[in-house]
Amino acid sequence: MSQTNRRNYALVTLAYWADTLTDGAIRMLVLFFFSQLGYSPFAVASLFLFYEIFGIVTNLFGGYLGARFGLKMTLFLGLGTQLIALALLAFAPPTWLVVPYVMLAQAFSGIAKDLTKMSSKSAVKLVAGEGQGQLYRWVSLLTGSKNAIKGVGFFVGALLLTLVGFQIALRILAGLVLVALLVALLGMRGDLGTPDKQAKFRQIFSPNRAVNMLAAARIFLFAARDVWFVVGLPVFFVSVLGWDFWLAGGFMALWTIGYGVVQAATPALLRRGVAGQGEPDGRTATRLAFGLAIFPLGIAVALQAGVSPTWVIVLGLLAFGAIFALNSAVHSYLILAYTDSNKVAMQVGFYYMANALGRLVGTVLSGLLYQLGVMSGPYGGLVACLGASLLFVLLAGLISRWLPSQMAPRTRPIVLGDLGE
């Protein structure tokens, strides 16, 4: 692997980290700022509706754009779009900060996040090569580091809201993204991958059964997380447990950082429990999904039984996060292991379209179920969200049973320029 290609991949990853940190910070800023203004849980959830919808659209088209024009273009486009999203909120007159306008700004943020994610996840497949053990380790490290940095972003957003206020915080974040964009523009040499002008949009729909089954399982896995984590949980922290914004945001940040650490350590944690030569397969994904179902069920039962809600949520969320991180890291490896190297950008884009769809379902239901459930008591909203989480996890486990139980051997070496037919 040439020095230029490694340098370019490092710049893509660093840019992805910058976008991820600001993405996490924006989420906390918007969530807590509008909760503070008195918006209902469902209204707060609706602020992220376009974020998730446009994430689906971006992943649908992002793989095609990456194949046809190269990952370098999608990276720069993602960072530039994040600057637009931040500017729309940071410099808007206060009277403009209402639901439709914020939804529009969040749409740009969703586009930015998924363009940079697709660029980075596709690049790791090209750089790591077909050595399964190396690909497994690199994907776990990239995914884990990304989520750890997103956790830092949660904390930064909550802290900046407390210290400098909503719009000043957004201007600081815009400066960070601008620096990342300039570094990538000035530092990158050549292209990351060779654009394929013959790539066809229809090729994003994968004929690979394993990719399609994994994408379906991914929908329900991420719906299971976001249906209680995105809106229900932070609102519960503030409105029921009485936590300050910085405390709620700080705890969610630490949880996400720990989640990322577990993801990065997944190869070591699962070494004795996976099939073959230390790489996971469909059976691993199935067992982990069914194991995850224990935790939303246990948390809901404990809350209903009158156990201290603080301890139940803190300990239950930590356990849920650890097992979910293993699930997510295995999925992130499997999509690259199943993907044909000459179609990596398109098939990764298709897969993360499913990921975005799961987040959309989870986000909308998180606000709606919490608002409906809270009518039955202070814990009812979160219990309703946890019930949906349990259902989604079980569905993810059932679908995972159709994933291949053994990884097919690969003989064709990866060529860095192979991004599409």
Side-chain angles (χ1 to χ4, degrees):
M1 182 57 58
S2 70
Q3 186 69 23
T4 297
N5 287 331
R6 290 186 180 275
R7 174 192 178 96
N8 287 348
Y9 175 71
L11 288 170
V12 169
T13 303
L14 290 172
Y16 182 35
W17 286 348
D19 183 84
T20 297
L21 188 145
T22 57
D23 184 71
I26 293 170
R27 181 167 290 268
M28 287 297 103
L29 284 164
V30 170
L31 194 155
F32 287 137
F33 179 72
F34 286 93
S35 293
Q36 188 179 34
L37 294 179
Y39 282 68
S40 69
F42 183 68
V44 171
S46 71
L47 295 171
F48 302 105
L49 185 62
F50 279 5
Y51 175 94
E52 304 296 357
I53 290 174
F54 279 86
I56 296 171
V57 175
T58 301
N59 280 298
L60 186 63
F61 286 93
Y64 169 71
L65 292 175
R68 191 169 181 85
F69 301 105
L71 298 177
K72 183 176 178 180
M73 187 278 287
T74 57
L75 171 71
F76 295 157
L77 185 59
L79 292 174
T81 306
Q82 185 73 308
L83 277 176
I84 294 173
L86 287 161
L88 285 173
L89 295 175
F91 300 101
T95 55
W96 289 18
L97 296 178
V98 293
V99 170
Y101 184 82
V102 176
M103 289 175 68
L104 173 65
Q106 286 294 94
F108 282 101
S109 186
I111 293 169
K113 186 262 295 182
D114 282 300
L115 280 174
T116 52
K117 178 171 69 175
M118 187 278 300
S119 301
S120 184
K121 290 293 180 73
S122 297
V124 74
K125 171 78 170 182
L126 300 176
V127 173
E130 293 288 359
Q132 298 287 10
Q134 179 168 295
L135 178 61
Y136 183 26
R137 292 189 298 272
W138 281 42
V139 171
S140 297
L141 181 61
L142 176 67
T143 305
S145 65
K146 182 269 293 187
N147 283 300
I149 290 170
K150 187 168 186 175
V152 174
F154 285 166
F155 178 74
V156 168
L159 183 63
L160 287 175
L161 181 62
T162 303
L163 295 179
V164 300
F166 184 68
Q167 291 193 300
I168 298 298
L170 290 163
R171 293 169 191 174
I172 293 172
L173 296 175
L176 175 63
V177 174
L178 180 59
V179 170
L181 177 59
L182 291 175
V183 169
L185 281 169
L186 296 175
M188 195 166 291
R189 300 291 182 268
D191 291 315
L192 187 63
T194 302
D196 179 6
K197 300 301 182 182
Q198 303 303 314
K200 303 294 190 298
F201 177 74
R202 65 176 182 272
Q203 292 172 331
I204 66 171
F205 298 102
S206 176
N208 186 324
R209 181 176 182 273
V211 170
N212 292 334
M213 288 296 99
L214 188 65
R218 187 78 169 188
I219 292 172
F220 292 107
L221 182 66
F222 271 75
R225 183 196 67 177
D226 287 4
V227 75
W228 69 295
F229 187 78
V230 170
V231 177
L233 187 65
V235 171
F236 185 85
F237 281 150
V238 173
S239 63
V240 177
L241 300 186
W243 290 11
D244 293 329
F245 294 141
W246 70 267
L247 179 59
F251 177 76
M252 294 181 70
L254 290 174
W255 181 87
T256 309
I257 292 169
Y259 166 88
V261 170
V262 173
Q263 284 185 312
T266 294
L269 295 173
L270 293 183
R271 184 172 293 124
R272 295 182 180 179
V274 300
Q277 301 300 311
E279 290 82 41
D281 57 16
R283 291 171 296 183
T284 315
T286 302
R287 289 195 294 267
L288 286 172
F290 284 130
L292 183 64
I294 297 170
F295 299 101
L297 175 62
I299 296 169
V301 169
L303 286 174
Q304 294 289 70
V307 181
S308 169
T310 300
W311 285 107
V312 168
I313 295 301
V314 170
L315 296 179
L317 184 62
L318 291 175
F320 178 91
I323 306 302
F324 187 90
L326 297 176
N327 273 272
S328 179
V330 167
H331 274 222
S332 294
Y333 162 72
L334 289 177
I335 182 56
L336 294 183
Y338 293 156
T339 297
D340 300 324
S341 59
N342 62 337
K343 299 177 182 176
V344 57
M346 288 193 173
Q347 293 191 353
V348 168
F350 173 78
Y351 171 74
Y352 281 106
M353 177 186 67
N355 187 91
L357 179 59
R359 293 198 315 263
L360 172 63
V361 172
T363 298
V364 173
L365 288 180
S366 186
L368 180 61
L369 291 176
Y370 190 91
Q371 187 166 324
L372 294 175
V374 79
M375 299 176 185
S376 62
Y379 304 158
L382 193 59
V383 169
C385 293
L386 288 165
S389 178
L390 173 62
L391 174 62
F392 290 147
V393 169
L394 292 175
L395 288 171
L398 290 172
I399 294 170
S400 298
R401 291 174 61 87
W402 278 276
L403 294 174
S405 59
Q406 292 183 342
M407 301 304 301
R410 294 173 181 267
T411 58
R412 181 184 184 275
I414 286 185
V415 179
L416 187 64
D418 285 350
L419 285 175
E421 295 180 342

